[in-house]
Amino acid sequence: MNYVIIGNSVAAVGAIRGIRGVDEQGNITVISRERHIAYGRPLISYLLGGLITEKRMAYLPEDFYEKNRVNLLLDAEVVGVDSARKQVKLAAGDTIGFDKLLIATGGDPFVPPIEGLAGKDRIFTFTTWDDAEKLKGIAADMERVVVIGGGLIGLKAAEGIHLLGKQISIVELADRILSAAFDRPAGRVVAKKMKANGIDVITEDTVVRIEGDGARISGVTLKSGDYIPCDTVVVAIGVRPAAGFLKGSKVEVNRGIVVNDTMETSVKGIYAAGDVAEASDFFSGQKNPMPIWPDAYIQGDVAGTAMAGGKKSYSGGLAMNSIELFKVPTISMGITNPVEPKEFDILTYQDAENYQYRKIVLQENRLVGAVLVGQVDRAGIFSGLIREKVDVTPFKEQLLDPDFGFIHLTKEIRSTLFAPYGKVA
Amino acid sequence: MKRIYTIEDACIGCHLCEVGCITEHSQSKDPIRAFLHEQVRSISRCTVEELDGGVISLSTTCRHCDEPDCLRACISGAIQKNDAGVVRIDTEQCVGCWSCVMACPYGAVQRNLAKKKANKCDLCPDRKSPACVDACPNRALVYKEGSQK
Ligand SMILES: Cc1cc2nc3c(=O)[nH]c(=O)nc-3n(C[C@H](O)[C@H](O)[C@H](O)COP(=O)(O)OP(=O)(O)OC[C@H]3O[C@@H](n4cnc5c(N)ncnc54)[C@H](O)[C@@H]3O)c2cc1C
Ligand code: SF4
Ligand code: SF4
């Protein structure tokens, strides 16, 4: 059996382990257009800010590829997939045949057409190790930076640049930063802390023109008419599935590559996992991209297992983020900001002065979402309650308690999880 | 693999498992030094929970899951499961992002704020049986072959 995996990040790693859990013999070929072995993509802001060295970027133990007998092709871009002939085509011209193919190509940063952007030197995106290197390379003569986009990637870029001692403005179109994961109070708590650190957070506005002569940037003009002087711009508006090379392959692509619960695409034998895929959502069951690290791993594992003929099914993507910004830890999961709040039961606790906030979202006595700012310990217990759809009625009053734990659940649950009886392997 | 299990009815809420764990993970491996003299006191990997002033109590700890959610969520690769099944954190590699804290449904990862590193049960690599199990005066903790759940 010949397995080919396009992309060499977390979804690919999950898939390699998934395949090897079932099939120790088959040939695995991994093709990546990057020149690095698998690295912690979310660590690029730590690298930029000097919090970690390059040595820490490696995501896997050194012997991983060898131990799992993976044939790794780096610096090789796939430019086409021929589903009928079961071949992928590389930019260099050669083709590689497959029996089972996994597309784990993640996302490409999206750069919208902004007036004055074309031809400018210091426009950056921030999604790869090399992006971080490039920014670091010009750090010495960088002074003021504008980050377009106040989502996860924009804030992470801002934090890294801030650690280099540069002045930063973040421009976000929504009414708060991190609008995908946070509700308004949580967004405010974090924005307050960022401002206290000297970061200029501008919401409900956007960059309409990049100013400057020739390749040099002198500033940006906002929709509101405001002008911010700067020498560097980071565009962090979002990522789009890296699926362009699938044109003509018959693999169905919507907002991502559409997959079923074993991560198989519309073409038999071809699978997709991670940021590039559009799998079912935990709550609604509808197809939904879920561009987060843990989910990419899980999808990769399901895909790899299925490709090798094993049985595993995806239980649905559950949004989940742990983001510490300027020493304020935050964890959010599930439905944090329901569109129809009336259908939900929402509990909150707030102490903005001390950067503390807790929010619990319930639906029909089941936990469906949580936001924790400040005190985030044991947040995973909530993720377990969401996944297991536990009826929280008996301990609803305790959910906001910072010491909430298993002791508040029923004895039956505690015994199932921790007691020794009958648990013989 | 061998795992640590809890007999809730036998737990007397004395927290000696935590003392045993902190001592084992200290520099000196001496309880008095660990608690009084070491600069950074290590954090217990097991957590004793209590209710009604201790009428109900139990010690919870890592299950060394078959498919660890902590490992899957870890953005740095610091968490690995070895061939024996033990799930450990490489503290050097950890960046303190708390993704594992977010993902572990057993609430078994602690935040070491002084070091900004995550912290979890390592099943005491230097011992025959884990320190918490040996420390429990009422045998409320058992170390035996068994499944995760
Ligand atoms: C700065 C930053 C911070 C983040 N922080 C977090 C966080 O804290 N928590 C979290 O959950 N998520 C975070 N994310 C998101 C997380 O990194 C992604 O969800 C995750 O990396 C997705 O993994 P993946 O395997 O699907 O794809 P990716 O990691 O995107 O990897 C895909 C790989 O495929 C390669 N590739 C693409 N096309 C081709 C081709 N045609 N041929 C060959 N190779 C190709 C790409 O070059 C890339 O190396 C962050 C992302 C960024 C950029
Ligand atoms: S820390 Fe939690 S998720 Fe990880 S192995 Fe232990 S119990 Fe499982
Ligand atoms: S806190 Fe450390 S061990 Fe936990 S997920 Fe982050 S890097 Fe991994």
Side-chain angles (χ1 to χ4, degrees):
Chain A
M1 183 67 86
N2 286 311
Y3 304 97
V4 171
I5 301 176
I6 316 175
N8 176 38
S9 186
V10 58
V13 171
I16 294 166
R17 290 202 173 120
I19 292 170
R20 285 290 177 245
V22 183
D23 177 357
E24 287 181 13
Q25 301 303 325
N27 299 313
I28 304 180
T29 303
V30 173
I31 309 167
S32 169
R33 68 179 173 198
E34 291 199 66
R35 57 193 174 93
H36 306 283
I37 54 160
Y39 60 91
R41 189 170 307 285
L43 299 191
I44 63 173
S45 60
Y46 296 71
L47 183 70
L48 174 61
L51 293 176
I52 58 167
T53 59
E54 291 203 345
K55 208 179 130 223
R56 297 264 166 272
M57 290 298 285
Y59 172 59
L60 297 164
E62 253 173 67
D63 62 355
F64 177 84
Y65 294 101
E66 206 191 309
K67 214 170 156 184
N68 289 289
R69 282 170 296 107
V70 174
N71 172 23
L72 181 61
L73 303 179
L74 295 179
D75 225 340
E77 179 163 8
V78 171
V79 291
V81 172
D82 186 331
S83 328
R85 287 215 192 106
K86 296 208 153 196
Q87 282 179 344
V88 298
K89 191 167 172 226
L90 301 186
D94 30 348
T95 55
I96 297 175
F98 62 82
D99 297 310
K100 296 280 160 85
L101 175 69
L102 175 67
I103 302 158
T105 47
D108 280 328
F110 171 58
V111 180
I114 302 172
E115 199 187 321
L117 183 143
K120 293 285 187 297
D121 261 352
R122 291 190 171 184
I123 307 271
F124 295 91
T125 52
F126 193 64
T127 58
T128 66
W129 185 341
D130 288 349
D131 290 341
E133 290 291 327
K134 277 186 223 153
L135 273 165
K136 223 177 161 114
I138 62 151
D141 60 352
M142 170 162 82
E143 265 169 33
R144 283 206 64 164
V145 184
V146 166
V147 175
I148 309 179
L152 174 63
I153 296 176
L155 296 187
K156 283 286 177 182
E159 189 177 47
I161 297 166
H162 173 79
L163 286 168
L164 295 173
K166 314 295 172 188
Q167 254 200 317
I168 308 201
S169 303
I170 298 171
V171 185
E172 164 61 47
L173 190 59
D175 66 350
R176 60 182 182 276
I177 53 171
L178 275 173
S179 57
F182 283 179
D183 62 348
R184 208 168 288 168
R188 272 210 210 108
V189 171
V190 177
K192 185 175 156 212
K193 187 74 182 195
M194 296 183 79
K195 284 177 186 160
N197 275 277
I199 293 193
D200 186 19
V201 182
I202 301 159
T203 50
E204 293 176 273
D205 210 343
T206 186
V207 171
V208 289
R209 200 164 50 246
I210 295 174
E211 316 281 358
D213 307 320
R216 213 184 52 86
I217 297 173
S218 58
V220 297
T221 299
L222 305 185
K223 194 167 182 197
S224 59
D226 286 357
Y227 174 81
I228 311 171
C230 68
D231 49 68
T232 306
V233 171
V234 176
V235 184
I237 298 208
V239 292
R240 291 202 163 162
F245 62 91
L246 288 174
K247 257 186 223 114
S249 71
K250 298 206 173 67
V251 173
E252 187 192 343
V253 184
N254 186 20
R255 280 184 300 159
I257 302 173
V258 184
V259 292
N260 66 16
D261 284 347
T262 62
M263 300 294 135
E264 195 165 24
T265 67
S266 57
V267 176
K268 222 172 148 4
I270 301 184
Y271 295 72
D275 282 13
V276 77
E278 191 184 279
S280 53
D281 182 80
F282 178 76
F283 297 107
S284 68
Q286 276 162 7
K287 303 289 179 204
N288 202 12
M290 189 63 72
I292 53 170
W293 185 269
D295 221 56
Y297 191 111
I298 294 169
Q299 291 187 4
D301 173 48
V302 171
T305 308
M307 287 160 74
K311 279 217 164 18
K312 220 175 240 183
S313 176
Y314 186 57
S315 59
L318 182 59
M320 219 184 252
N321 276 293
S322 172
I323 309 163
E324 181 161 321
L325 288 162
F326 299 93
K327 304 212 166 83
V328 180
T330 74
I331 288 180
S332 62
M333 57 180 77
I335 302 170
T336 55
N337 212 17
V339 201
E340 293 286 347
K342 276 198 201 97
E343 292 169 17
F344 296 83
D345 197 358
I346 296 173
L347 319 170
T348 57
Y349 165 83
Q350 189 167 6
D351 176 3
E353 203 60 17
N354 295 305
Y355 303 106
Q356 298 287 328
Y357 178 64
R358 293 172 87 78
K359 176 181 190 173
I360 296 289
V361 183
L362 307 172
Q363 188 178 30
E364 288 162 6
N365 299 318
R366 303 287 189 275
L367 184 68
V368 294
V371 183
L372 307 175
V373 177
Q375 174 74 269
V376 299
D377 297 295
R378 306 190 92 196
I381 297 177
F382 292 132
S383 76
L385 293 176
I386 296 177
R387 283 210 181 276
E388 300 298 325
K389 302 188 170 135
V390 175
D391 183 350
V392 301
T393 315
F395 48 86
K396 192 177 146 186
E397 303 303 318
Q398 280 80 44
L399 285 166
L400 278 180
D401 188 342
D403 290 327
F404 177 76
F406 292 100
I407 206 80
H408 301 109
L409 308 187
T410 60
K411 189 168 181 188
E412 194 192 340
I413 297 177
R414 286 198 294 277
S415 309
T416 318
L417 299 180
F418 299 105
Y421 315 108
K423 285 185 187 173
V424 178
Chain B
M1 69 174 294
K2 276 185 152 177
R3 292 180 160 93
I4 301 166
Y5 299 99
T6 307
I7 302 167
E8 182 177 327
D9 293 338
C11 176
I12 55 173
C14 65
H15 295 257
L16 284 175
C17 49
E18 296 178 346
V19 175
C21 181
I22 289 168
T23 306
E24 178 64 21
H25 295 94
S26 68
Q27 263 167 6
S28 60
K29 302 211 175 194
D30 173 84
I32 312 296
R33 287 209 189 122
F35 276 75
L36 286 181
H37 304 305
E38 286 183 18
Q39 256 189 358
V40 185
R41 187 194 293 180
S42 56
I43 289 176
S44 176
R45 276 86 171 145
C46 52
T47 307
V48 177
E49 296 186 24
E50 287 177 58
L51 200 67
D52 301 336
V55 175
I56 315 176
S57 68
L58 93 161
S59 174
T60 65
T61 186
C62 168
R63 309 322 302 143
H64 295 274
C65 301
D66 300 329
E67 296 180 344
D69 284 311
C70 59
L71 182 156
R72 293 158 165 229
C74 176
I75 60 171
S76 75
I79 304 183
Q80 298 292 334
K81 190 170 172 74
N82 70 17
D83 293 337
V86 184
V87 180
R88 291 208 175 102
I89 297 183
D90 173 352
T91 309
E92 283 283 293
Q93 182 68 14
C94 170
V95 296
C97 71
W98 318 133
S99 297
C100 48
V101 173
M102 159 187 85
C104 170
Y106 298 92
V109 186
Q110 300 80 32
R111 295 190 298 151
N112 186 334
L113 293 176
K115 293 188 178 157
K116 205 175 183 307
K117 299 281 185 184
N119 194 90
K120 71 176 279 305
C121 167
D122 55 7
L123 286 179
C124 295
D126 301 340
R127 302 172 66 99
K128 268 212 188 94
S129 92
C132 55
V133 175
D134 291 348
C136 180
N138 204 28
R139 295 196 192 156
L141 294 173
V142 259
Y143 186 51
K144 63 160 204 162
E145 285 292 331
S147 59
Q148 177 194 331
K149 217 191 222 182

